Amino acid sequence: MEKGVAMDNSNLIYHYTSFEKLQCILKYGTLRFKESTSSNDILDTIGFENILKSMPNFNAPGATAALLNFIINYYRWEGYHPSAKFLVACFSKIPDSRLLWDAYTMHRPGNQKCPHGEEKYCSEVAAKYNGVCIAFRQDRLSEYLRSVEGLNCDRTHVQPIVYGDSKIKILLNEWLKEAARKSIELSKEDDQSQDIIPTMPVIGTLTMDLKKCLVIPVMDFMKKVEAYSPFFKHEFWHEEAEIRAALLISNASLSRFDISEYDGGVKYYDVEISADCIDHIILGPEFDESSFAEIDSHPEYKFKFRDYELRKSLGTGVIRNQ
């Protein structure tokens, strides 16, 4: 790979990761995608759902209000489950961010054992800024993700996060209006049969066929909610300027895709990427000779660390680790 080739910075997205996870990327040539709902944002991917649940019922008489109430009440139903899972890898448009070094590259005191051997977690554990910020070429990454569509997921997306519940509400109002319009148009058709949802048993031999003017608008609405949900977050996180890469896996497809799972049940998948997906690497402020030595001791790593342009962080020589 040619070293030091100038790139259009608008094509670069930045993945902050710890020293240990950097070694996994180098060793296997893969990038790990985890279920979006397992992130440190407890509202991740469920913002649309929560707002729909909180909407008041439509009190106007008629089929339109009945349709809209049907949609809202579906999300309030205890048996509701999204029809797909999203596995995500997170990036930022901001390189060398102190906030992101802190949040995503270090072993925090809260997740390391007490050095005194006690069965508890201890604030005396030293955290070190020896992680990295990997500059990925977004176009190359998107290309490699598309290669796993149909093999390990149904679809892939790489796009920026939109922040703020107000933006979710605007979209939901537009989609509800669109569902109402579509329902009215379809209700004018004599043939109301549809093959999306089969005939449903009601009592004994009594069955019910759902009309096209209900099923199609409702299904279109639900598809939009699920497709957009992983790319909208609460405004609390706006400083991260996140770009999210996502693998969409329908529940119906889970059994045929080779998806791994942690002990706690959270699903993940390691996507094989090309070495040229990475443009350069920014070394954490405390990335030192011992860090280089550790990586150099593994000549079998698939990606050759020193082949990349390695840049020092602005924080190098600035942070006191005490």
Side-chain angles (χ1 to χ4, degrees):
M1 179 172 52
E2 191 174 352
K3 188 173 179 180
V5 176
M7 286 292 296
D8 175 8
N9 286 341
S10 66
N11 183 44
L12 298 180
I13 54 179
Y14 301 90
H15 181 66
Y16 289 79
T17 194
S18 68
F19 180 73
E20 289 73 21
K21 290 178 182 176
L22 164 68
Q23 290 189 80
C24 288
I25 293 171
L26 297 173
K27 181 177 181 179
Y28 300 108
T30 57
L31 186 63
R32 177 156 295 185
F33 287 68
K34 296 190 298 185
E35 275 192 76
S36 59
T37 50
S38 69
S39 75
N40 56 354
D41 174 8
I42 62 175
L43 301 179
D44 200 313
T45 313
I46 62 173
F48 281 81
E49 177 187 336
N50 286 346
I51 290 173
L52 283 163
K53 287 178 179 178
S54 68
M55 283 186 172
N57 280 350
F58 294 86
N59 295 320
T64 297
L67 169 80
L68 299 179
N69 286 332
F70 177 88
I71 291 174
I72 293 171
N73 287 316
Y74 176 74
Y75 288 94
R76 293 173 181 159
W77 175 44
E78 288 184 1
Y80 165 73
H81 293 287
S83 66
K85 294 186 182 298
F86 279 91
L87 309 187
V88 303
C90 302
F91 305 82
S92 176
K93 286 301 292 183
I94 306 172
D96 206 2
S97 160
R98 188 201 59 78
L99 179 149
L100 296 174
W101 284 121
D102 255 7
Y104 297 110
T105 71
M106 302 168 68
H107 284 304
R108 309 306 301 165
N111 63 16
Q112 292 193 68
K113 289 292 185 184
C114 176
H116 309 299
E118 300 176 20
E119 292 299 320
K120 64 179 182 179
Y121 292 95
C122 177
S123 62
E124 292 183 25
V125 175
K128 191 174 182 181
Y129 289 87
N130 67 336
V132 296
C133 171
I134 306 174
F136 277 80
R137 301 173 180 178
Q138 184 173 341
D139 56 352
R140 296 293 287 149
L141 179 62
S142 297
E143 179 183 337
Y144 268 83
L145 293 185
R146 284 193 293 271
S147 72
V148 304
E149 291 182 349
L151 298 175
N152 286 91
C153 69
D154 295 299
R155 294 194 305 278
T156 62
H157 303 275
V158 181
Q159 60 191 65
I161 292 290
V162 178
Y163 297 95
D165 286 353
S166 61
K167 296 182 176 72
I168 294 178
K169 291 175 182 177
I170 290 170
L171 273 182
L172 287 176
N173 283 325
E174 290 177 358
W175 295 343
L176 289 170
K177 290 176 183 176
E178 183 179 346
R181 286 195 300 269
K182 187 172 290 186
S183 179
I184 291 170
E185 291 171 6
L186 291 173
S187 68
K188 297 173 184 176
E189 299 181 11
D190 293 332
D191 182 7
Q192 286 296 311
S193 61
Q194 50 81 28
D195 56 7
I196 301 173
I197 298 179
T199 299
M200 301 171 61
V202 181
I203 301 174
T205 59
L206 182 63
T207 60
M208 177 176 66
D209 289 317
L210 295 178
K211 294 182 178 181
K212 177 166 62 177
C213 64
L214 170 69
V215 172
I216 292 178
V218 169
M219 294 299 290
D220 287 349
F221 178 89
M222 291 176 179
K223 287 178 183 176
K224 290 189 184 77
V225 168
E226 292 199 351
Y228 280 76
S229 286
F231 301 102
F232 281 73
K233 296 181 74 168
H234 193 278
E235 51 267 30
F236 175 79
W237 306 99
H238 76 277
E239 291 174 301
E240 295 186 348
E242 183 181 341
I243 306 292
R244 176 165 283 190
L247 315 179
L248 182 151
I249 306 168
S250 67
N251 293 339
S253 299
L254 274 174
S255 60
R256 68 184 181 90
F257 291 146
D258 185 21
I259 305 300
S260 302
E261 191 172 288
Y262 293 110
D263 290 341
V266 173
K267 292 179 169 51
Y268 70 91
Y269 177 63
D270 292 331
V271 176
E272 187 172 345
I273 59 174
S274 167
D276 65 359
C277 286
I278 297 173
D279 181 68
H280 64 270
I281 299 174
I282 302 173
L283 307 177
E286 294 181 299
F287 198 103
D288 54 19
E289 288 304 316
S290 66
S291 303
F292 276 113
E294 169 60 24
I295 293 175
D296 289 342
S297 70
H298 296 280
E300 78 282 4
Y301 281 178
K302 186 172 181 179
F303 291 172
K304 304 307 177 187
F305 187 60
R306 291 185 184 269
D307 282 353
Y308 294 104
E309 179 187 353
L310 304 176
R311 303 180 183 178
K312 288 186 177 181
S313 167
L314 289 172
T316 304
V318 174
I319 292 173
R320 176 181 290 113
N321 184 20
Q322 287 183 1

